């Protein structure tokens, strides 16, 4: 909101100063001219600032399409802040500033504005616009496969050092969640009655297969292990529970479904312990392991160990595929379903949903931004030219993140929305200023209009980008890696938005804007 507010106030005060100094009554009635200049600036900037505000609101507001509460809240609060930034910085500030008329000497360029001046780009655009567009096109096409081929979210625990932050609480993630070896995950097994010999054997086969590539979590219990343990205990220690009569010596399970059910119900009531005394499960722990409803075992957990990698979600996708393959035999039993679950996979699904929601909303935001720009400009050609740099920024940004191996997570994925917001903001200012210059000087050339636009609006965009760039680079001083990454990527995004607005967009206007024909 601060970045957008700075942009709005730079544009509004620059326009106010110019219109005030150009007013014929300024020399005799400076205060009156100043107030008139403020309202004239608000009116003349309404198409640009208004469209920039609406399109940015749309870009941020598409987050409300997500079913995740945090993203929905982001989609509400973000647009409200943008509207406030426009009303305060684009309307209230120029009116307040008009109380003190500008000095005539203030119309001269300052050292900063001279340093940031992009006016000289107009002549370069006139002679080198097509080669520049070819370079931009090659760059965008080269990055497109990287963006489309890397849609998955990645999450690095080391990026998040503050375990008490709202984000950590939301996804239930922190360093304390993990032991040195990792954390437990489990299969959620459901069916009408899981207490059958066939089902228990398949669960046992599944667990043995999982043990070949993932550490087991046997200390948390397992239905096959519990059935074997209780059957051996009852057979060897009198008075310790129901004694099954049909135990298969190879599997260690009763072959009778009824006896398996009785063994599990016995553990449900009394718990069990192995003969060595190294494993013990209480009745309450048995109820956490499986559920008996109306005399049938309808749900059970089969635990495994999720190792602690640096990149949880990068390896979890492969592990999940292996786990699902191991459960294929069990799922072939009629009426039995198996789902990979646990805190790790809840977070995994949560992160994927976040990323998918943002990526889907980006497409919606770009389409809606184009429609809004089309309604205001009423020119398909100019609307396409305005939105193309925004699409390019998104490709450049995401492609650069892939090349630099930057994680795409809850925070960094939001930068794409910000890129759309600021990209459209910069682009619409430039396009609207060119249209104004063409209207004010219909007999001029494209180079004349572009030079005038770059001299005022281009310099304003340069100053806005400079202040935004410095503001976000300050985050690089943070002790939290997440904020450092966010600040650096945002600074790069600001720079790319500036390049797209003052170089790519003018080049597109020169080659495809058809401005001189439209002015006749």
């Amino acid at each position: 909101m601060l970045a957008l507010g700075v942009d709005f106030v730079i544009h509004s005060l620059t326009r106010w100063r110019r219109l005030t100094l150009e007013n014929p009554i300024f020399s005799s009635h400076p205060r009156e001219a100043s107030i008139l200049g403020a309202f004239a600036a608000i009116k003349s900037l309404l198409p640009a600032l208004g469209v920039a505000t609406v399109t940015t609101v749309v870009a941020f507001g598409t987050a409300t399409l997500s079913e995740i509460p945090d993203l929905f809240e982001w989609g509400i609060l973000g647009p409200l802040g943008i509207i406030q930034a426009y009303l305060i910085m684009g309307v209230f500030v120029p009116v307040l500033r008009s109380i003190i008329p500008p000095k005539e000497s203030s119309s001269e360029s300052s050292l900063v504005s001279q340093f940031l001046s992009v006016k000289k780009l107009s002549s370069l655009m006139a002679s080198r616009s097509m080669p520049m567009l070819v370079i931009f096109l090659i760059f965008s096409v080269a990055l497109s496969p990287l963006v489309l081929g890397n849609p998955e979210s990645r999450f690095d625990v080391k990026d998040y050092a503050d375990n008490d932050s709202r984000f950590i609480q939301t996804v239930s993630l922190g360093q304390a969640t993990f032991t040195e070896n990792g954390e437990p995950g489990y299969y959620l097994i459901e069916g009408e009655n899981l207490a059958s010999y066939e089902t228990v054997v398949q669960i046992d086969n599944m667990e043995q297969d999982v043990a070949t590539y993932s550490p087991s979590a046997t200390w948390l219990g397992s239905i096959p292990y519990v059935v074997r343990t209780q059957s051996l205990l009852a057979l060897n220690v009198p008075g310790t529970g129901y004694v099954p009569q049909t135990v298969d010596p190879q599997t260690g399970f009763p072959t009778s479904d009824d006896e398996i059910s009785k063994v599990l119900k016995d553990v449900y009531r009394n718990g069990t312990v192995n003969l060595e005394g190294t494993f013990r499960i209480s009745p309450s722990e048995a109820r956490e392991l499986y559920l008996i409803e109306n005399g049938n075992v309808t749900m059970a957990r089969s635990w495994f160990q999720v190792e602690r990698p640096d990149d949880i979600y990068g390896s979890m996708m492969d592990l999940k595929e292996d786990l699902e393959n191991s459960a294929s035999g069990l799922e072939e039993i009629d009426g039995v379903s198996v789902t990979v679950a646990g805190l790790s996979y809840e977070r995994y699904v949560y992160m994927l949903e976040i990323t998918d929601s943002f990526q889907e909303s980006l497409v919606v935001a770009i389409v809606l931004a184009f429609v809004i720009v089309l309604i205001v400009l009423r020119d398909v050609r100019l609307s396409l030219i305005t939105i193309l740099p925004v699409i390019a920024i998104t490709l450049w940004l995401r492609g650069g993140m892939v090349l630099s191996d930057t994680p795409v997570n809850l925070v960094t994925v939001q930068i794409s929305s910000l890129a759309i917001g600021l990209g459209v903001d910069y682009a619409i200012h430039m396009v609207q200023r060119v249209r104004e210059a063409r209207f004010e000087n219909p007999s001029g050339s494209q180079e004349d209009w572009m030079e005038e636009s770059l001299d005022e609006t281009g310099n304003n965009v340069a100053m806005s980008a400079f202040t935004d760039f410095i503001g976000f680079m300050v985050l690089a001083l943070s002790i939290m890696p997440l904020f450092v990454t966010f600040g650096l990527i945002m600074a790069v995004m600001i720079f790319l938005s500036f390049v797209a607005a003052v170089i790519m967009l003018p080049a597109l206007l020169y080659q495809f804007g058809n401005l001189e024909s439209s002015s006749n």
Side-chain angles (χ1 to χ4, degrees), residues 369-409:
F370 171 76
V371 171
I372 293 170
V373 171
L374 179 61
I375 292 173
V376 174
L377 298 182
R378 291 176 293 179
D379 188 316
V380 175
R381 185 195 303 267
L382 282 181
S383 299
L384 285 173
I385 290 174
T386 303
I387 211 70
L388 280 176
V390 179
I391 299 175
I393 293 169
T394 305
L395 287 175
W396 300 346
L397 193 64
R398 292 295 298 274
M401 291 174 65
V402 174
L403 290 175
S404 62
D405 198 32
T406 302
V408 178
N409 52 47

Side-chain angles (χ1 to χ4, degrees), residues 16 51 55 86 96 160 163 168 230 328 348 421 464 486:
W16 159 77
V51 173
T55 53
Y86 169 66
L96 181 65
Y160 299 85
N163 293 333
I168 298 298
Q230 178 58 26
S328 59
Y348 171 69
S464 298
F486 179 77

